[in-house]
Amino acid sequence: MSRQTQALIHADALIHNYETISALTPDSKIMAVIKADAYGHGAVNVAKILQGRCPCYAVAISEEALILREAGIDEPIVIFEGAHQPQECEEAARLHCILVAHNHQQLDWLTKTPASRRPPVWFKIDTGMHRLGFDLADIDKVMSEYAALVTAQTVLVTHLASADDLSNRFTQHQLDKFAALQQRYKLNCSIANSPATLGWPGTHAAWNRVGMGLYGGGPLPQLSAGSTLKPAMTLQASIMSLRTITSGESVGYGQTWVAPRKSVIATVSIGYADGYPRHCPNGTPTVVRGQRAPLVGRVSMDMLNIDVTDIPNVRLGDTVELWGSQVSINEVAKLAGTISYELMTRLSTRVPRVIVK
Ligand SMILES: Cc1ncc(COP(=O)(O)O)c(C=O)c1O
């Protein structure tokens, strides 16, 4: 490896987070959501780290399931978006995956698939998210028309729109709508994502679908005192250039930062092509030698600059934490006008993921 830019993936944090969340939900099973390359952590990495603990994984699309199978991951995998093409129905069965069906076209494809080559089917129901799922008013018709697809493995799934806001009553409204179905069909259910698993015990069902909680980012409801989730990723790079500039001199493209005093500027080997957000403003924190060092000037494609004037003994090659346990990814995301989900999933393939055991 040439430059020292890397994302450390902390196996102990992933296991800690998985176990902490599992302990909160003794009557539910936790499915680890590892779509989008496990939110940038590496889906195969995360599946292997959780192997033996986690009974089931979830991805968005078939291609993501295939990568896991090719890497030797054998646990059941739920494909959230179901089939986009008819041939994916048989492929899912061959790969021992579960398809979530959210529209009639998918159910028709599954019906035409010979029963011996058909995967288990879960039904997605729209209780207010208005993204995917059958309308509640149609569900009885759907369940009787496609009764041949309903088996003991079938799960009724819904997704919550605002579970990260504990004061928002829409979650209870969605739950109330779903409760009648739970009663009527006596099938297993899956409602909760991470914020719901942590903050809304009433949403816990047979399967909770946990993504961000495993990765220790946010926004998520706080756990009770004494138990916290740990960041599973540290994004770090090193100082590749150091210079002193005088008061009044500017740094970077567009000269958006002007030194208010004589300043020591460190150039760090990471930029927006690596996934560090270009929208981060002056002052966004990084940490060098245990001390905060603010971003100065615009983030460039491969580099960014920080002010290290107040950090004694700073040296070329020093490690800079962009986010991790010293700099919260939530803080960086907020300053960039986004959420940790986007920062994690946008980390580019140019950044090696290094597993720390
Ligand atoms: C349907 C569904 N369930 C669960 C999740 C996991 O959400 P979280 O990362 O908040 O746990 C997602 C993620 O986007 C999702 O789309």
Side-chain angles (χ1 to χ4, degrees):
M1 191 163 76
S2 55
R3 61 177 195 161
Q4 297 301 302
T5 306
Q6 51 193 15
L8 305 180
I9 306 301
H10 304 284
D12 59 345
L14 283 162
I15 292 168
H16 165 87
N17 294 344
Y18 184 84
E19 294 198 330
T20 302
I21 297 170
S22 297
L24 293 175
T25 66
D27 300 324
S28 307
K29 285 192 264 188
I30 303 284
M31 157 191 332
V33 179
I34 56 171
K35 64 190 173 119
D37 207 20
Y39 297 28
H41 294 65
V44 172
N45 296 340
V46 173
K48 287 193 170 158
I49 289 166
L50 295 180
Q51 220 158 20
R53 291 185 163 81
C54 178
C56 180
Y57 297 105
V59 295
I61 55 175
S62 303
E63 288 85 341
E64 294 177 317
L66 182 59
I67 291 169
L68 291 166
R69 289 292 179 248
E70 285 174 348
I73 306 299
D74 308 321
E75 284 75 13
I77 301 174
V78 179
I79 301 178
F80 279 165
E81 292 180 15
H84 283 261
Q85 304 295 330
Q87 64 272 20
E88 288 176 77
C89 298
E90 282 198 29
E91 193 198 7
R94 209 170 43 247
L95 294 176
H96 302 290
C97 292
I98 296 154
L99 289 181
V100 181
H102 59 82
N103 67 25
H104 285 268
Q105 184 182 51
Q106 292 177 324
L107 293 179
D108 289 337
W109 291 339
L110 285 157
T111 305
K112 284 184 194 142
T113 307
S116 60
R117 300 205 292 270
R118 189 186 291 148
V121 184
W122 291 13
F123 288 73
K124 180 83 172 263
I125 293 134
D126 180 15
T127 52
M129 174 78 174
H130 296 335
R131 189 175 67 176
L132 295 182
F134 296 99
D135 203 289
L136 266 180
D138 299 336
I139 195 68
D140 289 338
K141 196 160 167 275
V142 169
M143 297 299 277
S144 66
E145 204 175 321
Y146 296 96
L149 302 178
V150 179
T151 66
Q153 289 167 280
T154 296
V155 172
L156 299 180
V157 183
T158 197
H159 195 43
L160 300 169
S162 291
D164 55 336
D165 177 359
L166 293 182
S167 65
N168 191 325
R169 292 160 69 173
F170 195 66
T171 300
Q172 192 55 50
H173 171 74
Q174 288 191 263
L175 266 185
D176 293 344
K177 284 179 148 186
F178 198 65
L181 281 187
Q182 281 178 285
Q183 292 286 323
R184 199 148 72 241
Y185 287 106
K186 309 268 184 275
L187 288 167
N188 281 329
C189 293
S190 175
I191 306 168
N193 54 4
S194 297
T197 304
L198 299 184
W200 295 88
T203 65
H204 297 174
W207 285 102
N208 296 338
R209 309 184 302 272
V210 174
M212 186 51 79
L214 294 176
Y215 310 117
L220 295 177
Q222 293 302 304
L223 295 176
S224 55
S227 96
T228 48
L229 300 178
K230 298 180 183 170
M233 179 191 289
T234 300
L235 180 64
Q236 63 183 39
S238 61
I239 294 177
M240 58 187 289
S241 173
L242 275 169
R243 77 197 59 247
T244 301
I245 61 173
T246 57
S247 170
E249 287 191 293
S250 63
V251 171
Y253 287 124
Q255 301 170 279
T256 58
W257 186 81
V258 177
R261 57 178 174 164
K262 183 178 175 194
S263 303
V264 184
I265 302 300
T267 302
V268 185
S269 55
I270 189 164
Y272 62 78
D274 299 298
Y276 189 87
R278 185 177 172 280
H279 287 106
C280 281
N282 287 325
T284 302
T286 70
V287 164
V288 184
R289 293 180 177 258
Q291 259 180 263
R292 288 201 155 203
L295 180 75
V296 292
R298 274 193 199 140
V299 175
S300 338
M301 189 182 291
D302 313 307
M303 287 166 268
L304 54 79
N305 292 297
I306 58 177
D307 179 356
V308 292
T309 314
D310 297 324
I311 301 179
N313 303 320
V314 69
R315 298 263 187 285
L316 269 184
D318 276 358
T319 298
V320 180
E321 180 178 305
L322 288 312
W323 60 66
S325 57
Q326 302 173 92
V327 180
S328 157
I329 189 169
N330 300 330
E331 186 178 354
V332 178
K334 197 164 179 201
L335 288 163
T338 184
I339 52 174
S340 58
Y341 292 70
E342 188 180 6
L343 296 197
M344 288 176 183
T345 55
R346 287 204 167 192
L347 203 60
S348 89
T349 52
R350 192 165 76 170
V351 178
R353 275 53 165 186
V354 177
I355 299 171
V356 183
K357 289 259 161 69

